[in-house]
Amino acid sequence: MIIDLHSHTNFSHCGYDDPEALVLEMIKRGVNVLGINDHSVALASRREEYLSTLTALKEKYKNQITLYCGIELATVPERALPSGYDLTGFEYGLIENIDSERTIAPDLFEYVKGFNMPLGIAHTDIFAFSNKKYGNDYKFIELLVEHNVYWELNVSLDSVHRFREHEYVKEFFVNTHQQDIARKSGLKISVGFDGHKMDEYKPYRVQSALEFLEKGKFNVVKGFADYFSKTK
């Protein structure tokens, strides 16, 4: 199965694709589960349109692909959601910028208390973050598990990201110490291509990362229907 839990449409300012065209292309590419999580800064004023569009697509293509309606939550002031924003209807969120000096969530676990949906940490080296914040490379991972927050392996490789691979992902694939921490802690791990242009999508990168996780007996996020019930 190809389970990609990070993609964007033209609801994001940096996205290029019509949502339905993207869904159809992902079906064609053999994607079984797709999470669309456009940027919070773009959805601040388009909530109803976004939710209605994705809800209709979920129903229309339910026999061909499992689709999740998410949001990428920026935590720097100029891109964060306005206070009081209604998150009802969103099925999951990916949190970014937690390693920024300007983050509005210096205490991540206080921040996540305000959300009643599955949450993950997007494209972040959580081992380096843990070392910086706690003086070791495992404490933050333990806290993620305790608060049921998952971690994303972001396997993007496209022009929007200047064809740069995330070094933290490459490191995790070869670092057995990090792998042991993740495996023994029960850390939930997702995979996402973070696609912004469907003609640059590379499903093999998602598939190979998932195969690595499955073979290594990691706790893989495959969807969100029963996310909260699957804790270790």
Side-chain angles (χ1 to χ4, degrees):
M1 292 184 69
I2 300 178
I3 304 167
D4 187 339
L5 297 176
H6 192 164
S7 64
H8 295 274
T9 73
N10 56 14
F11 273 98
S12 290
H13 299 143
C14 50
Y16 287 77
D17 304 315
D18 170 79
E20 184 164 17
L22 174 65
V23 171
L24 288 170
E25 182 64 19
M26 294 302 101
I27 293 171
K28 180 181 176 182
R29 298 287 193 95
V31 176
N32 306 98
V33 179
L34 180 68
I36 295 177
N37 54 294
D38 280 302
H39 289 288
S40 53
V41 66
L43 299 182
S45 62
R46 302 181 69 187
R47 174 184 176 276
E48 296 300 329
E49 181 187 0
Y50 180 73
L51 290 175
S52 63
T53 297
L54 293 196
T55 299
L57 292 175
K58 280 169 61 73
E59 178 63 23
K60 184 174 182 178
Y61 296 104
K62 64 183 180 181
N63 294 325
Q64 300 176 68
I65 191 170
T66 298
L67 183 64
Y68 288 104
C69 174
I71 184 170
E72 188 162 9
L73 298 158
T75 64
V76 288
E78 70 274 14
R79 297 174 58 203
L81 288 172
S83 178
Y85 185 86
D86 184 5
L87 284 164
T88 304
F90 292 96
E91 295 175 282
Y92 76 107
L94 268 175
I95 304 169
E96 60 177 346
N97 316 123
I98 66 166
D99 51 357
S100 169
E101 296 295 330
R102 299 184 302 110
T103 182
I104 62 171
D107 184 340
L108 175 69
F109 303 107
E110 187 64 31
Y111 173 79
V112 301
K113 287 181 181 178
F115 299 90
N116 186 30
M117 61 181 176
L119 294 170
I121 303 300
H123 40 69
T124 300
D125 184 341
I126 57 173
F127 298 96
F129 182 81
S130 185
N131 267 312
K132 181 177 180 181
K133 192 171 182 68
Y134 299 103
N136 57 61
D137 59 1
Y138 61 85
K139 180 62 177 178
F140 184 62
I141 288 79
E142 292 177 346
L143 288 169
L144 289 176
V145 175
E146 179 183 337
H147 290 85
N148 205 15
V149 178
Y150 70 92
W151 177 48
E152 176 197 59
L153 289 183
N154 190 301
V155 295
S156 64
L157 188 67
D158 59 15
S159 61
V160 172
H161 301 96
R162 300 180 183 178
F163 294 103
R164 292 182 301 199
E165 296 181 84
H166 285 288
E167 291 300 322
Y168 82 89
V169 176
K170 293 165 65 177
E171 177 65 21
F172 184 72
F173 285 151
V174 299
N175 190 319
T176 56
H177 172 67
Q178 291 184 358
Q179 292 169 22
D180 285 343
I181 292 173
R183 187 184 296 106
K184 291 175 182 178
S185 69
L187 177 68
K188 293 180 178 179
I189 306 175
S190 73
V191 177
F193 187 74
D194 198 0
H196 290 69
K197 289 182 175 182
M198 61 186 180
D199 60 347
E200 295 181 349
Y201 187 63
K202 300 174 178 62
Y204 72 88
R205 291 182 60 80
V206 177
Q207 189 170 25
S208 62
L210 287 167
E211 289 174 353
F212 170 84
L213 294 174
E214 291 285 358
K215 184 177 180 180
K217 301 187 184 304
F218 294 95
N219 195 358
V220 184
V221 180
K222 298 180 179 179
F224 302 109
D226 56 356
Y227 181 89
F228 287 115
S229 67
K230 290 190 175 180
T231 56
K232 288 195 173 184

